[in-house]
Amino acid sequence: MVASRVTSADVAARAGVSRSAVSRVFTPGASASKKTVEKVRKAAQELGYRPNVLARAVVSGKSRMIGLIVAYLNNQFYPEALEKLSNALQARGYHVLIFMASQTAGNVDKVVEEILDYQVDGIIAASVALSSDLTERCLAAGVPMVLFNRSQDDGRMSAVTSDNRAGGRKVAEFLLAGGHRKIGYIAGWEGASTQRDREAGFVETLRSAGLGLHAREVGDFLMEGAQKATRRMFAEDPPDAVFVANDHMAMAVMDTLRSELGRAVPGDVSVVGYDDVPAAAWAAYDLTTVRQPANRMVTETVDILLSMIETPGTRPRRVEIDGPLIVRGSARIPEGWSA
Amino acid sequence: MVASRVTSADVAARAGVSRSAVSRVFTPGASASKKTVEKVRKAAQELGYRPNVLARAVVSGKSRMIGLIVAYLNNQFYPEALEKLSNALQARGYHVLIFMASQTAGNVDKVVEEILDYQVDGIIAASVALSSDLTERCLAAGVPMVLFNRSQDDGRMSAVTSDNRAGGRKVAEFLLAGGHRKIGYIAGWEGASTQRDREAGFVETLRSAGLGLHAREVGDFLMEGAQKATRRMFAEDPPDAVFVANDHMAMAVMDTLRSELGRAVPGDVSVVGYDDVPAAAWAAYDLTTVRQPANRMVTETVDILLSMIETPGTRPRRVEIDGPLIVRGSARIPEGWSA
DNA sequence: CTGAAAGCGCTAACAG
DNA sequence: CTGTTAGCGCTTTCAG
C-alpha cells in the first residue's frame, strides 16, 4: 500500500549503470553521455523515480529551501509579497519554508532556531525585528539573511525597503500643495524602521515649510489602534488632513471618520496612506497613497539573497526603492497637480 | 567564518558518550539515564548543537513538513487560513512548505511532484482542484492529503469545508424574509465545489418558495469578473437583491453598484456575500455574509491530516462545518428578524 | 541503559 | 565519461 520508495539504486539496476550515473543524470551541472542519460531517464520514468531532495541536501549541504518569517498577514501588503516572493524563489529552484512570527517578540528567536534546524540556505524576514543576538547566530551559522520591508542599523544585515523617507516627503509636499495647514500624523508601531523613516521624511518637509505636526497619535499598524487614534485626534481641534503610516490603518481611519465621526473624506479631511495595497484602489476607499513597488522589492530581495547563497563572499546590501505617490480621491487634489 | 556545523559526534565526544546516546537524548520517545541526559544537554548547550532535522528525516522517513498548496492569496480568506494552519501545525511540531498554485491548471500537477520530492509527511490543498491522476499519485506515494475549502467527488480524499449548501439556504431564507422577489446570483468559478454547493442550496430554497433566479452571472471568484458580472446583471431589469458567491467578489459588486452604477446598497439593492472575511466587517462595506468558521475548519483539517500521518490506517474523512449568517447592513433586514 | 555497527538515499573524489 | 569508494548526520537494531 504505502509504496516502497524507489531509490536511485533501483534505477541504476534497471538501467544497467551505477548509482553515480543516475545521480549525475539528475544533477544539473554534471556530465553524462547521451546514451546513459537516455537509459537512466527511461528507467526512472518507468519506475516513477524522483530524487530524494532531503538526502541530497544532507550530503550537499544545500537544501534549496529558504526560510520565510512573516507576520501581519492581515495587512494586505504581506500576502501579496509572500506570493511574489514564493513565486520568484520557486522560479529559481528554491522553495519556501514558512514561519509565522506571532506578535510576541521573544518568539522570533525561537522561530529562527527552528528554521536553522531545517538547514535552510537563507532566510527572509518580512517585517520582523531581530534581536542582535539572533543576527549573530545567523551570521555565525553562515546562513544569509535579508530583511524585507524593514531595515536595521546593523550594517551586516541586508535589507530591502521602499524609500520611506522620500515617500514621507512626497506626502507632505502633496498635502502642503493642497493648501492644508493643520496636518496630523497617525504613526505605526514605533519600533519599526518604516514607521520612523516615513515620519521623518514627512515631518522634515513640513518643517521646511515652517509647519509642525498639528496632531500626532500612534496606531501601531493595527486597525483597532488606528480607530482609537482617530477618535483621540478628532476629539478637539481636528486636523484638516491626516497622513497615516500605512494603508491598513488608513482604511480604518477613513471608516472611523466617515461612519463614526460623520466627517466627509476628502470634504472635511484629506487622508493619505502608504503601501498601495489592493484595497486602496477599491472604490469604497479610493485612497491616495505611496506605492511600495512590491515587484521590485521582491526581485531585489531574491537577487541579494541568492547571490549571497550562491556566491560566497558577497557583501550584504541595503536597498531602498523609490515609489510614486498614487493620487486618488481620498485627499484634496491641488490645483493643477501633476508631479 | 562559515561556522563548521556542530555534529552529534562533537557532542558525544565532549560528553564522553556515544553518538547513539546523544541521539536518544534528542529523540522524544527514547530512554536515557538522568545522568546521560544531563551530560549531553550540557555539552550540546556549550557547543550550540541542534540536531539536523533533514538528516533525521532521511533515516526516519518522517520530515515533519507539511506541503501546503495555496492559490487566491488576494482573497482575504486565505491569508487568514494560511496563518491559522501554519500556527496549528507549528504547535504540533510540523512546519509548512508552501507552494503557490498559480492560476494555470496543469501547474498544480508539477507542484505536487515537487512537494513529494521534499518527502513531506502530508499535503493540504487549499482551494485547488486535483486531477484524479494526481490523487492517485499521492495515494500511491502514501502521502495523506486533505482538501481545505474544496471537496471532491473521490471519496478517498479527505476534505474540510463549511456547509456550503446550508449556507446558501440561509441566504435565500434571509432574502426571502426581507421581501425580495427579484433575486440575482453572481457565481464563482464553476469548477469549484464551493460555488456549486452554495448555489445549489440557494436555488433550492428559492424554488421551494416558488421562485427562480431572476438573473445569474459568473464572476469566477475574481473582482474584475464580479465587476463585469454586475454591469451585465444591472443593464436591464435589475434584481433587487444579489447573492454573491464570496465576499471577495461581493465587495467588488458593492463598489460597482455604488460608484459606477449609482445604486444605493441596501437602499436599491441588497447584497449578501459568503466567507466573512475581515473586510466584510469594515464600515465601508458592512457586508451581510455567511461566516466560514476558519478556526474550526483549520482544527479539523489539521486533526484529520495528523491522524492519517500518525495513525496509519486512519480512514479519510469529509467534514462540513456549519457557519452562521452574519447580519450586517448591506442587505435589508426583515422585520423582527432574529434567527 | 548503553555502545558498536549497519544503513537511510544520495553525492563527490578519485582512479580508470 | 564511468564505476568504485567514502561519507553526509543521524537513527536504529543488536548485543551486552
Side-chain angles (χ1 to χ4, degrees), chain A residues 58-216:
Chain A
V58 171
V59 43
S60 70
K62 258 73 208 53
S63 65
R64 302 198 76 86
M65 293 196 291
I66 302 296
L68 176 56
I69 311 177
V70 74
Y72 297 115
L73 232 44
N74 50 349
N75 174 344
Q76 288 193 314
F77 181 69
Y78 292 103
E80 199 187 337
L82 163 58
E83 177 160 5
K84 293 187 156 96
L85 279 168
S86 173
N87 284 333
L89 255 7
Q90 235 163 292
R92 298 185 56 170
Y94 286 82
H95 291 280
V96 172
L97 197 57
I98 203 168
F99 292 79
M100 295 297 159
S102 323
Q103 20 293 46
T104 357
N107 214 332
V108 177
D109 293 40
K110 225 178 345 210
V111 164
V112 174
E113 300 275 59
E114 288 183 31
I115 292 189
L116 259 16
D117 292 347
Y118 278 88
Q119 314 294 115
V120 295
D121 293 341
I123 297 179
I124 297 173
S127 286
V128 292
L130 293 210
S131 67
S132 52
D133 194 44
L134 247 295
T135 309
E136 226 54 61
R137 280 186 67 76
C138 288
L139 256 22
V143 178
M145 162 150 160
V146 14
L147 268 26
F148 179 87
N149 202 31
R150 192 116 323 169
S151 74
Q152 199 152 289
D153 291 330
D154 192 326
R156 294 169 306 175
M157 189 65 84
S158 293
V160 175
T161 60
S162 69
D163 191 339
N164 290 295
R165 185 178 275 261
R169 282 195 297 258
K170 286 178 194 179
V171 175
E173 283 157 18
F174 178 77
L175 257 18
L176 255 10
H180 296 291
R181 287 299 174 269
K182 298 170 76 169
I183 303 178
Y185 177 68
I186 293 184
W189 177 58
E190 304 203 82
S193 64
T194 41
Q195 142 58 32
R196 195 191 54 219
D197 296 345
R198 287 168 198 178
E199 179 168 12
F202 186 64
V203 170
E204 182 179 309
T205 295
L206 289 190
R207 189 144 302 158
S208 42
L211 246 55
L213 248 26
H214 178 75
R216 179 186 192 276

Side-chain angles (χ1 to χ4, degrees), chain A residues 8 19 23 49 56:
Chain A
S8 74
R19 279 160 61 211
S23 170
Y49 169 78
R56 171 181 290 173

Side-chain angles (χ1 to χ4, degrees), chain B residues 8-147:
Chain B
S8 75
D10 300 330
V11 177
R14 175 177 262 255
V17 298
S18 70
R19 280 160 57 209
S20 326
V22 176
S23 171
R24 285 192 271 259
V25 170
F26 285 98
T27 304
S31 52
S33 70
K34 243 191 147 75
K35 229 177 116 185
T36 305
V37 172
E38 203 169 300
K39 281 191 299 186
V40 170
R41 284 241 124 82
K42 183 160 173 291
Q45 177 75 39
E46 294 166 348
L47 264 29
Y49 169 78
R50 310 204 101 218
N52 181 330
V53 180
L54 263 35
R56 171 181 290 174
V58 171
V59 44
S60 69
K62 256 75 209 51
S63 66
R64 301 199 76 85
M65 294 196 291
I66 302 297
L68 176 56
I69 310 177
V70 73
Y72 297 115
L73 232 45
N74 50 349
N75 173 344
Q76 289 193 314
F77 181 69
Y78 292 102
E80 198 186 338
L82 163 58
E83 176 161 6
K84 293 187 156 97
L85 279 168
S86 173
N87 283 333
L89 254 8
Q90 235 163 292
R92 299 186 56 170
Y94 287 81
H95 291 281
V96 172
L97 197 57
I98 203 168
F99 292 79
M100 296 296 159
S102 322
Q103 21 291 47
T104 356
N107 213 335
V108 177
D109 293 40
K110 220 169 359 199
V111 163
V112 173
E113 301 274 60
E114 289 184 29
I115 293 190
L116 258 17
D117 291 347
Y118 278 87
Q119 313 296 117
V120 296
D121 293 341
I123 296 179
I124 297 174
S127 286
V128 292
L130 293 209
S131 68
S132 52
D133 194 43
L134 246 294
T135 309
E136 227 52 65
R137 280 188 66 74
C138 288
L139 255 24
V143 178
M145 161 149 162
V146 14
L147 267 28

Side-chain angles (χ1 to χ4, degrees), chain B residues 249-323:
Chain B
M249 290 196 298
M251 296 184 297
V253 170
M254 287 179 72
D255 280 344
T256 306
L257 248 18
R258 302 212 261 223
S259 302
E260 185 183 320
L261 270 26
R263 318 242 170 187
V265 176
D268 298 329
V269 46
S270 287
V271 176
V272 177
Y274 201 110
D275 276 350
D276 196 24
V277 298
W282 296 352
Y285 295 101
D286 196 33
L287 180 65
T288 292
T289 186
V290 177
R291 171 171 300 158
Q292 294 218 81
N295 279 319
R296 290 173 56 207
M297 287 173 66
V298 164
T299 307
E300 283 289 352
T301 301
V302 171
D303 280 353
I304 293 174
L305 188 66
L306 296 195
S307 55
M308 290 176 80
I309 291 172
E310 292 165 0
T311 315
T314 304
R315 312 204 59 72
R317 291 201 297 138
R318 16 190 67 223
V319 174
E320 294 193 336
I321 297 172
D322 193 55

